Amino acid sequence: MIASLAALALASASAPTSGETAAEPAFAQSFEALQALDRRVHAIGWRLREGNAAYCDYRTNDTGLLLQDARAFGSPAAVKALLGLRGDIFVQAIAPGSPAADTPIAAGTTLERIEDRSVTGFAWDEEKPWARLAQINEFIGPLRRSGSLALVFAGSDEAVIVKTRPACVTQFEVVSGSDDVGADGQRVRIGRDFPGLAYPEDELAAALAHEFAHNVLRHPQILSVNGRKRRAVRETEREADRLMPWLLVNAGYEPEAASRFMRRWGPKHSGGLLRKRTHDGWDERVELIDAEIAVLKRVLAEEGRADWRHFFTREAQREKR
């Protein structure tokens, strides 16, 4: 159960100025567009996280719910009116195929209690609009380990029991003010203006898989300890490119989506994923990915599974051979 930070993207657009009635359609349109992005990224992220859970060193149990805090928006009242909320904390999205998808919970439902604790007991911080939701998720974390979570929603005193399933530890978040994607070891952040959001789902999944690979291979932690030297960063980028097809296959996508994404993205963009000096050229990256796909397919034919934990070769090991 994770939270999107993209609520802040509506801060400036949500406050009515000359007339509240005139501003409502614009706000509704902006909010619905944000919801669509959240749901798309959340769904892909869930597939990547759950599909690769058997091979991640760092796992958790999760429900597939994406929560949001209405007060994180510029106009909480507008959010509440639009969704008919009875409180601040609500369900923004539910990942298809997740445990939460097997419950009667619907997007836009107001959350009131987690187990025996009311969500109103979590403090709001005006200076840190993301902090309350972070506290809620931190509280939920240990509870999910039991295999289920009891949640009470507005309009009912009866708890909905949501089961949990193993998933890799990474949060996928849509954020405002950015047109790029990045990973920090715990999260994958995708800018609301990232061009790849307009790509076919499997190619967007490839872009997210690249950043997800950085997290599952512990690249941010490794670079933090050893320093971000050019050679070290280039090695991590190559590893992330090569792990993309493995992660995609386990999430139910075609491995070739990794090279299709790079062919579509590379010729038009020179920043972000394709920064100079620390990254190979996009055509070289396609060759590297295609070569890895061939390795992956051999492993699938022989082993019947894309177990990258045992059959993926790290860059340092490749150079020694």
Side-chain angles (χ1 to χ4, degrees), residues 36 49 100 149 192 219 226 237 265 268 272 279 290 309:
R49 294 177 63 221
L149 195 63
R192 195 178 181 189
H219 287 158
N226 299 326
E237 292 301 329
W265 171 268
K268 296 181 180 179
H279 295 64
D290 286 343
R309 184 179 52 183

Side-chain angles (χ1 to χ4, degrees), residues 32 87 89 146 211 244:
E32 288 167 1
I89 309 302
S146 66
E211 300 302 331
M244 288 164 68

Side-chain angles (χ1 to χ4, degrees), residues 62-309:
D62 212 340
T63 61
L65 287 174
L66 176 69
L67 296 180
Q68 188 55 278
D69 189 337
R71 286 193 68 178
F73 291 80
S75 178
V79 176
K80 290 181 179 181
L82 186 63
L83 298 179
L85 301 178
R86 301 186 185 183
D88 290 335
I89 309 302
F90 65 96
V91 176
Q92 175 79 323
I94 301 170
S98 69
D102 294 329
T103 71
I105 301 171
T109 306
T110 307
L111 178 64
E112 291 190 340
R113 290 206 314 272
I114 304 163
E115 300 289 346
D116 59 353
R117 182 168 178 179
S118 171
V119 296
T120 59
F122 294 92
W124 168 257
D125 186 341
E126 200 70 43
E127 299 298 320
K128 300 177 180 177
W130 46 265
R132 178 165 60 173
L133 209 48
Q135 293 174 33
I136 291 173
N137 284 321
E138 185 176 354
F139 174 75
I140 289 172
L143 300 176
R144 296 180 306 201
R145 297 171 191 162
S146 66
S148 64
L149 195 63
L151 304 175
V152 177
F153 295 90
S156 175
D157 292 327
E158 186 175 344
V160 177
I161 306 301
V162 188
K163 295 182 179 180
T164 63
R165 290 202 298 265
C168 300
V169 174
T170 283
Q171 296 181 4
F172 287 80
E173 300 174 346
V174 179
V175 299
S176 62
S178 173
D179 62 358
D180 205 354
V181 289
D184 65 7
Q186 295 291 325
R187 296 181 297 271
V188 167
R189 299 180 303 277
I190 181 165
R192 195 178 181 189
D193 299 320
F194 176 58
L197 287 167
Y199 292 2
E201 180 180 326
D202 59 350
E203 294 180 28
L204 174 57
L208 298 183
H210 174 95
E211 300 302 331
F212 183 43
H214 284 311
N215 285 352
V216 299
L217 295 175
R218 309 289 287 173
H219 287 158
Q221 291 85 348
I222 292 170
L223 293 174
S224 177
V225 171
N226 299 326
R228 296 184 60 85
K229 297 178 181 178
R230 185 181 303 175
R231 177 183 174 86
V233 174
R234 186 182 290 269
E235 286 183 349
T236 64
E237 292 301 329
R238 287 174 176 170
E239 284 188 347
D241 281 344
R242 291 174 44 242
L243 192 59
M244 288 164 68
W246 296 79
L247 298 175
L248 288 171
V249 162
N250 288 328
Y253 297 104
E254 292 182 353
E256 291 82 5
S259 54
R260 287 200 297 270
F261 163 75
M262 198 62 67
R263 287 188 175 93
R264 186 189 300 269
W265 171 268
K268 296 181 180 179
H269 301 87
S270 59
L273 283 175
L274 303 175
R275 291 186 298 272
K276 296 180 180 179
R277 295 184 297 278
T278 55
H279 295 64
D280 294 317
W282 71 266
D283 51 345
E284 296 172 303
R285 298 177 74 179
V286 169
E287 292 178 0
L288 195 67
I289 292 169
D290 286 343
E292 192 68 29
I293 290 173
V295 173
L296 167 60
K297 289 187 173 180
R298 286 198 297 270
V299 171
L300 286 172
E302 296 170 3
E303 304 292 330
R305 55 182 181 156
D307 185 352
W308 48 263
R309 184 179 52 183

